[in-house]
Amino acid sequence: MGEPFRLPAPLASTLSELFAASPRDGGWAGFLLPQLDAEKPLLWVQDRMAILEAGRVHPAGLGSRDLIHVTARDARDALWAMEEGLRCSGLSAIVGEIWGDPAVLDFTATRRLAVAAERRQVPCWLVRLHGTANLSGARMRWRIASSPSLPHVLDPKAPGAAAWDAELFRARGFAPGRWSIAHEADRFRLLAGAGDRALEEIGQRVA
């Protein structure tokens, strides 16, 4: 398993963008949730196509976290709900799932979310399912793909800690890079012998 590893993160709350490597690879949720404050309610917005193609968020899978779930008719309504949610500083974060490349999701829309998140100091994550990494106002942009689970420490036939291939392809204040990580015992760990050396050093500096 490797040493504890702290993911590169913005110095203040802002908009981050996450692209699932495959439209139906839900592993990105396991990568995202450990980074969110579990003590405050979480606002989760899904547009209709995201639900139809990738599934509705399952509250029981979030543990004891308080969830406010919004089903939006389309991307326009989803963006509106996210921006309205950013008016509430009592939320731990806002997660918005949008399918494809709707015209309404342009640089102006993402810039508005980034500014609102920074003003209210509420982290905002825009999850792009089957989307293209076009021009965006997001401060950090990730591509996440599920990797095979690590071996279970007590049963080699059972799945162990979840693992991902994580690529940070754009970030303010950080160099791009790609590396393999796992999450175990409430910590991210860099897998031995894997990853981008430059990004590994970044993680060590911010730890």
Side-chain angles (χ1 to χ4, degrees):
M1 197 54 177
E3 292 298 318
F5 181 77
R6 187 172 180 181
L7 290 171
L11 296 178
S13 298
T14 187
L15 173 67
S16 298
E17 204 168 18
L18 189 155
F19 290 81
S22 166
R24 293 172 180 81
D25 180 353
W28 58 265
F31 167 83
L32 173 57
L33 287 171
Q35 303 180 57
L36 307 182
D37 182 359
E39 300 302 318
K40 296 180 180 180
L42 169 64
L43 175 61
W44 198 305
V45 181
Q46 294 179 291
D47 72 9
R48 186 177 65 89
M49 286 302 300
I51 292 174
L52 290 175
E53 297 289 344
R56 185 184 299 269
V57 61
H58 184 50
L62 303 181
S64 60
R65 190 187 302 267
D66 290 332
L67 174 68
I68 303 169
H69 181 248
V70 174
T71 299
R73 177 179 56 185
D74 53 26
R76 183 182 301 277
D77 286 355
L79 292 169
W80 177 85
M82 293 174 69
E83 193 166 345
E84 287 296 303
L86 286 169
R87 298 176 182 271
C88 179
S89 57
L91 295 173
S92 64
I94 293 173
V95 177
E97 293 182 52
I98 292 181
W99 182 269
D101 297 309
V104 69
L105 185 56
D106 56 13
F107 179 81
T108 300
T110 54
R111 171 65 178 169
R112 286 173 62 91
L113 289 176
V115 170
E118 291 160 7
R119 181 180 295 125
R120 293 290 183 173
Q121 284 301 288
V122 176
C124 185
W125 287 81
L126 181 60
V127 180
R128 304 290 309 281
L129 303 175
H130 198 54
T132 304
N134 296 322
L135 189 63
S136 172
R139 311 305 192 198
M140 303 192 82
R141 308 184 80 188
W142 297 86
R143 290 189 183 94
I144 304 297
S146 295
S147 296
S149 299
L150 301 185
H152 196 283
V153 293
L154 300 178
D155 183 354
K157 297 182 179 180
W164 304 271
D165 178 68
E167 179 186 4
L168 181 66
F169 65 93
R170 179 184 179 276
R172 177 175 293 182
F174 295 96
R178 179 176 176 177
W179 75 113
S180 295
I181 55 174
H183 190 262
E184 186 177 54
D186 297 326
R187 293 187 179 186
F188 284 102
R189 296 179 183 274
L190 186 70
L191 298 183
D196 182 290
R197 184 63 192 173
L199 198 54
E200 179 181 353
E201 292 170 353
I202 288 172
Q204 293 170 348
R205 289 203 299 271
V206 301

